[in-house]
Amino acid sequence: IAGITQAPTSQILAAGRRMTLRCTQDMRHNAMYWYRQDLGLGLRLIHYSNTAGTTGKGEVPDGYSVSRANTDDFPLTLASAVPSQTSVYFCASSKRGDTDTQYFGPGTRLTVL
Amino acid sequence: SQQGEEDPQALSIQEGENATMNCSYKTSINNLQWYRQNSGRGLVHLILIRSNEREKHSGRLRVTLDTSKKSSSLLITASRAADTASYFCATPLHSSGNTPLVFGKGTRLSVIA
């Protein structure tokens, strides 16, 4: 089935641990994005990638890193998780940029204790 | 900070009534998009309106854009219980180029049967 998949669905993590959230799309979209969603704050952009091999910082990039080695995959890494990174994380993709529809994955619910 | 801000934060109406949600943004844009999110799910694209358009329709959805006031509205006519969801406006992060979207905090719509 075409679309975006995210893994894991949910995770409980001890503070200080390293964690990688996985995101894969099979629509051959050029652009991919990571958002976090917190109650009362809406969606905030963490990092994005306009095309394979390039990445950019969003509103809240601190504590997160991304890579875009190929078109399909866009992993998000928390090098040393902190409780404030407890959130629901959504990956999205679009053909190009701002004039294209973004397609969202189902999300990863992350709890950092 | 987020580009778009939706108003009201929450809205509760009876089935069959119309629902109006507003979005204000801060900088010049070339388009504005509206998305819907059902509880626990990723966002789904509803409609895009370009800066040279004043009004756009899609089924029971009507979107307006007033670039002089930097505002947009989403009207859902003859609402149904299934329209219960959060609705977000999204605007380009940068004024030009291949840029990601920035989402507002959303309006939570409850349609009571």
Side-chain angles (χ1 to χ4, degrees):
Chain A
I1 298 175
I4 299 183
T5 58
Q6 291 184 237
T9 302
S10 64
Q11 182 76 43
I12 298 174
L13 189 66
R17 298 295 296 268
R18 179 184 180 89
M19 177 73 191
T20 295
L21 307 185
R22 299 185 297 280
C23 175
T24 299
Q25 53 99 1
D26 62 2
M27 296 176 283
R28 308 303 294 172
H29 284 172
N30 288 319
M32 296 186 75
Y33 317 89
W34 275 107
Y35 298 89
R36 60 177 289 174
Q37 185 174 32
D38 304 287
L39 194 63
L41 295 177
L43 272 79
R44 292 181 291 170
L45 181 68
I46 305 172
H47 285 288
Y48 64 97
S49 169
N50 285 333
T51 189
T54 68
T55 62
K57 294 181 179 180
E59 296 178 79
V60 288
D62 294 342
Y64 305 95
S65 63
V66 291
S67 60
R68 188 86 184 278
N70 58 60
T71 297
D72 298 344
D73 302 300
F74 191 42
L76 176 73
T77 297
L78 289 68
S80 179
V82 295
S84 62
Q85 292 177 312
T86 293
S87 187
V88 180
Y89 291 85
F90 288 100
C91 180
S93 72
S94 65
K95 284 184 182 178
R96 292 180 295 274
D98 64 324
T99 56
D100 290 319
T101 298
Q102 287 194 14
Y103 295 84
F104 281 76
T108 293
R109 184 174 296 276
L110 181 67
T111 302
V112 182
L113 302 175
Chain B
S1 62
Q2 283 159 308
Q3 165 76 304
E5 291 288 339
E6 292 88 349
D7 171 64
Q9 291 185 356
L11 179 62
S12 183
I13 60 174
Q14 296 289 326
E15 200 166 34
E17 294 180 339
N18 295 341
T20 299
M21 289 158 271
N22 303 297
C23 170
S24 59
Y25 57 92
K26 298 173 184 174
T27 62
S28 296
I29 58 172
N30 57 15
N31 75 86
L32 183 144
Q33 301 184 36
W34 284 90
Y35 286 77
R36 165 193 168 125
Q37 183 182 33
N38 286 70
S39 181
R41 302 287 189 93
L43 276 69
V44 175
H45 179 262
L46 293 176
I47 195 166
L48 179 153
I49 187 165
R50 300 185 186 279
S51 59
N52 61 354
E53 297 175 309
R54 291 296 169 261
E55 188 171 309
K56 198 164 183 179
H57 297 256
S58 177
R60 292 184 296 112
L61 305 180
R62 172 178 167 251
V63 170
T64 63
L65 181 64
D66 186 334
T67 53
S68 67
K69 295 181 179 178
K70 292 186 169 57
S71 68
S72 173
S73 68
L74 171 67
L75 169 68
I76 304 174
T77 60
S79 64
R80 305 166 183 169
D83 294 328
T84 294
S86 291
Y87 293 83
F88 296 85
C89 66
T91 51
L93 177 63
H94 304 300
S95 59
S96 63
N98 197 19
T99 173
L101 298 174
V102 177
F103 289 80
K105 297 179 183 179
T107 292
R108 291 190 313 279
L109 174 65
S110 298
V111 181
I112 302 166

